[in-house]
């Protein structure tokens, strides 16, 4: 049901955590409109308590997918958007981690690998406080959740307050951030580390090739790749890389999910930028609940300084991943551009990121921003995160460009994401040159973020209000 006319929001100011007032956007009601078709994708992928990324390829609930999905759902049903995040947060571990998958017990074990019997969360994760009533994975994904919760609240503040949505979510989100800032500061420099490529979300990026080379792959006969039952092999990670993913996950599980430096430990710029953006959002949530957000804003500023100090490369004009064993990884991935979303980023660094985003490494001849350096030796326009363009990174960069005053570039990127999503049936990812669909179609976060871009594009601006 299209409830956009019922949405309310208040102009609370500017900054990364804010959006313009939600209104009924033009073109949202016709049976053939992008809005209606995107809403149908989300309805088809709704399980009753959460949204699967794809019915065939990803039949469970994924962590950062649900955050992006909620951001789009808020324009359709604020209640469903709140439920999406509440279902995810209900599977949080006692140590604060939000697992990257919450498994649906009605889905057959062989529908997805690694399945619940691989992760063994209720037994291997017992010491870390894994829930007993639901099966999850043991690793995490990027912390977009507080930002999503704040935007969902703003879609219908009255409903949110009546249900106690933020009052319930806030302590869980605060515990999630504590986990990342304390247990995952494996490098001692204040930034969170990922201990598996799946945690960063950009699973198959060439940025992981060097640290992954240290990992002996699990034998191919020890697992079955269910992803190849639904996706083309040339679009997916290689068997060698997948074997390494399985080895890392196995060792983490067998160590009862204790966080310490192992063969793979990387500080990633996008992961930490999203943590910082969510710290700003937590400050807004604290203020909504009657507390002060000063300490959280200050923490976000300190984290921004640490991000610049540890991961910024002034010569390449991009943020780099840092391998805690091997140092900076000299690969230009889209992860290194995502810090553009941060409001306190030094002006000269923001300008340099815009140059990189608009230059030969990411823009020559492309329709959308590729996930990896066009000039890099590992670039592949179709293989998972080694070159294809994704809606979620496009959405983040559109916000970042707008945050730093690049309105025309932001408009052009937002329009390109919308046009491509529409033309491909909301594909999981696309060839950045041709826009050809790759992976699954009817992909939830593509549909959700297309709805959000469409609404924000048509929302009237108020005088003196930044368009976030």
């Amino acid at each position: 049901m299209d409830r956009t006319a019922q949405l309310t929001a208040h102009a609370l100011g500017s900054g990364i955590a804010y959006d313009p007032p939600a209104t009924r956007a033009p073109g949202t009601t016709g049976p053939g409109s992008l809005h209606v078709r995107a809403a149908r994708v989300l309805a088809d992928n709704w399980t009753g308590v959460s949204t699967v990324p794809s019915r065939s390829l990803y039949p469970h609930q994924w962590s950062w997918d649900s955050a992006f999905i909620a951001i789009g759902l808020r324009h359709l049903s604020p209640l469903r958007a709140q439920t999406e995040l509440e279902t995810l947060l209900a599977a949080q571990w006692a140590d604060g981690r939000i697992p990257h998958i919450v498994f649906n017990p009605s889905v057959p074990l062989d529908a997805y690998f690694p399945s619940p019997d691989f992760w063994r969360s209720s037994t291997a994760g017992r010491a870390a406080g894994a829930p007993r009533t639901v099966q999850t994975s043991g690793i995490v994904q990027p912390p977009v959740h507080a930002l999503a919760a704040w935007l969902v609240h703003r879609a219908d503040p009255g409903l949110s307050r009546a249900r106690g949505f933020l009052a319930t979510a806030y302590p869980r989100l605060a515990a999630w951030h504590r986990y990342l800032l304390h247990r995952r500061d494996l490098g001692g420099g204040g930034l969170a580390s990922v201990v598996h490529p799946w945690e960063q979300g950009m699973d198959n990026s060439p940025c992981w090739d060097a640290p992954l080379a240290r990992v002996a792959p699990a034998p191919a006969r020890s697992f079955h790749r269910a992803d190849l039952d639904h996706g083309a092999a040339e679009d997916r990670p290689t068997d060698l890389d997948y074997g390494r993913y399985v080895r890392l996950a196995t060792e983490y599980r067998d160590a009862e999910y204790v966080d310490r430096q192992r063969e793979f430990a990387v500080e990633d710029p996008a992961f930490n930028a999203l943590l910082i953006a969510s710290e700003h959002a937590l400050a807004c949530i604290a203020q909504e609940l009657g507390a002060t957000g000063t300490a959280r804003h200050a923490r976000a500023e300190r984290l921004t300084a640490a991000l610049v100090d540890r991961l910024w490369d002034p010569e390449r004009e991009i943020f780099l991943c840092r391998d805690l064993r091997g140092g900076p990884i000299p690969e230009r991935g889209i992860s290194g551009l995502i810090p553009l979303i941060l409001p306190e980023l030094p002006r000269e660094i923001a300008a340099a990121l815009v140059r990189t985003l608009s230059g030969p490494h990411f823009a020559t001849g492309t329709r959308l921003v590729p996930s990896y350096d066009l000039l890099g030796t590992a670039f592949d326009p179709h293989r998972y995160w080694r070159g294809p363009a994704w809606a979620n990174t496009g959405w983040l960069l559109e916000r970042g460009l707008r945050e730093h005053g690049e309105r025309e570039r932001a408009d052009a990127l937002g329009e390109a994401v919308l046009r491509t999503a529409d033309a491909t049936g909301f594909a999981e990812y696309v060839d950045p040159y041709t826009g050809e669909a790759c992976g699954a179609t009817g992909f939830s976060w593509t549909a959700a973020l297309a709805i959000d871009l469409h609404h924000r594009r048509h929302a009237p601006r108020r005088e003196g209000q930044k368009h976030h």
Side-chain angles (χ1 to χ4, degrees):
M1 178 178 179
D2 185 349
R3 294 185 55 203
T4 53
Q6 302 173 22
L7 302 185
T8 59
H10 302 295
L12 298 178
S14 63
I16 190 65
Y18 299 109
D19 257 2
T23 62
R24 182 181 294 278
T28 60
T29 57
S33 71
L34 176 146
H35 180 276
V36 169
R37 285 183 285 106
R40 189 173 298 122
V41 168
L42 297 180
D44 290 345
N45 290 343
W46 175 247
T47 68
V49 292
S50 65
T51 310
V52 298
S54 161
R55 283 287 179 184
S56 59
L57 193 53
Y58 306 103
H60 302 284
Q61 183 179 27
W62 261 258
S63 171
W64 77 325
D65 290 73
S66 278
F68 287 122
I69 289 163
I71 289 168
L73 276 176
R74 67 192 171 122
H75 300 291
L76 305 174
S77 169
L79 177 59
R80 224 171 92 190
Q82 292 175 30
T83 303
E84 183 81 38
L85 294 174
E86 288 165 346
T87 299
L88 179 68
L89 291 172
Q92 185 174 29
W93 292 27
D95 67 1
R97 82 182 75 195
I98 296 175
H100 98 296
I101 301 175
V102 181
F103 290 106
N104 183 342
S106 67
V107 173
L109 286 178
D110 62 358
Y112 183 81
F113 178 85
S115 51
D117 58 342
F118 172 88
W119 294 104
R120 305 172 197 163
S121 61
S122 59
T123 54
R126 185 179 296 132
R132 296 184 179 183
T133 57
V134 63
Q135 293 295 311
T136 76
S137 65
I139 60 174
V140 302
Q141 275 190 324
V144 200
H145 310 90
L147 175 59
W150 177 243
L151 297 179
V152 166
H153 163 78
R154 292 205 57 227
D156 191 335
L159 176 69
S160 174
R161 291 167 186 146
R163 297 185 69 249
F165 170 62
L166 291 183
T168 302
Y170 181 80
R172 290 182 175 273
L173 293 168
W176 168 221
H177 286 209
R178 280 196 303 274
Y179 168 78
L180 294 173
L181 291 169
H182 296 287
R183 301 200 182 207
R184 285 300 188 90
D185 182 12
L186 302 180
L191 299 181
S193 296
V194 295
V195 298
H196 196 291
W198 288 339
E199 292 198 312
Q200 195 272 349
M202 304 176 190
D203 314 1
N204 199 34
S205 170
C207 297
W208 315 135
D209 289 355
L212 275 178
R214 296 191 294 264
V215 179
R221 64 183 180 277
S222 66
F223 60 91
H224 170 69
R225 292 186 59 180
D227 64 318
L228 297 184
D229 297 338
H230 304 284
E234 60 269 20
D235 292 351
R236 307 294 299 173
T238 65
D239 286 343
L240 176 61
D241 283 335
Y242 213 91
R244 287 169 168 154
Y245 303 156
V246 173
R247 172 72 71 184
L248 284 172
T250 301
E251 291 178 350
Y252 192 38
R253 177 200 67 201
D254 292 349
E256 297 184 327
Y257 300 111
V258 172
D259 292 309
R260 61 178 176 79
Q261 273 199 48
R262 293 186 175 83
E263 290 175 293
F264 187 97
V266 176
E267 292 173 349
D268 174 77
F271 192 100
N272 281 280
L274 293 171
L275 175 59
I276 295 166
S278 281
E279 271 292 309
H280 283 298
L282 269 186
C284 296
I285 293 172
Q287 289 174 303
E288 163 67 23
L289 296 174
T292 175
T294 305
R296 292 205 173 275
H297 281 308
R299 182 179 293 117
E301 291 173 4
R302 290 196 301 272
L303 287 168
T304 302
L307 183 72
V308 170
D309 180 60
R310 290 181 68 80
L311 304 186
W312 175 245
D313 188 313
E315 293 183 5
R316 291 181 174 84
E317 294 196 323
I318 196 168
F319 286 88
L320 299 179
C321 299
R322 175 183 288 274
D323 177 4
L324 294 188
R325 288 195 178 187
I329 299 170
E331 298 282 3
R332 292 178 176 88
I334 198 169
S335 172
L337 300 175
I338 300 301
L340 194 61
I341 66 172
L342 299 177
E344 289 91 9
L345 203 63
R347 183 175 301 175
E348 65 277 11
I349 290 180
L353 286 176
V354 171
R355 287 194 297 271
T356 301
L357 176 60
S358 308
H361 294 284
F362 288 94
T364 303
T366 58
R367 299 185 183 189
L368 288 170
V369 185
S371 50
Y372 175 66
D373 184 358
L374 296 169
L375 305 179
T377 57
F379 175 79
D380 184 330
H382 281 197
R383 196 177 289 279
Y384 206 63
W385 291 109
R386 300 181 83 83
W390 294 71
N392 67 329
T393 53
W395 183 88
L396 289 166
L397 290 174
E398 188 268 352
R399 291 181 74 89
L401 287 166
R402 209 171 294 286
E403 176 67 40
H404 293 283
E406 295 286 342
R407 176 180 167 183
E408 290 186 7
R409 285 190 171 96
D411 287 346
L413 178 54
E415 178 61 33
V417 172
L418 280 170
R419 190 166 53 246
T420 306
D422 194 16
T424 61
F426 307 101
E428 183 181 2
Y429 50 104
V430 301
D431 183 313
Y433 288 116
T434 67
E436 177 187 351
C438 303
T441 54
F443 196 71
S444 289
W445 80 25
T446 306
L449 296 177
I451 290 171
D452 185 65
L453 284 170
H454 184 75
H455 276 264
R456 292 196 292 115
R457 174 182 168 200
H458 292 287
R461 301 183 190 185
R462 298 185 180 182
E463 186 175 355
Q465 182 184 5
K466 290 176 70 174
H467 186 83
H468 291 293

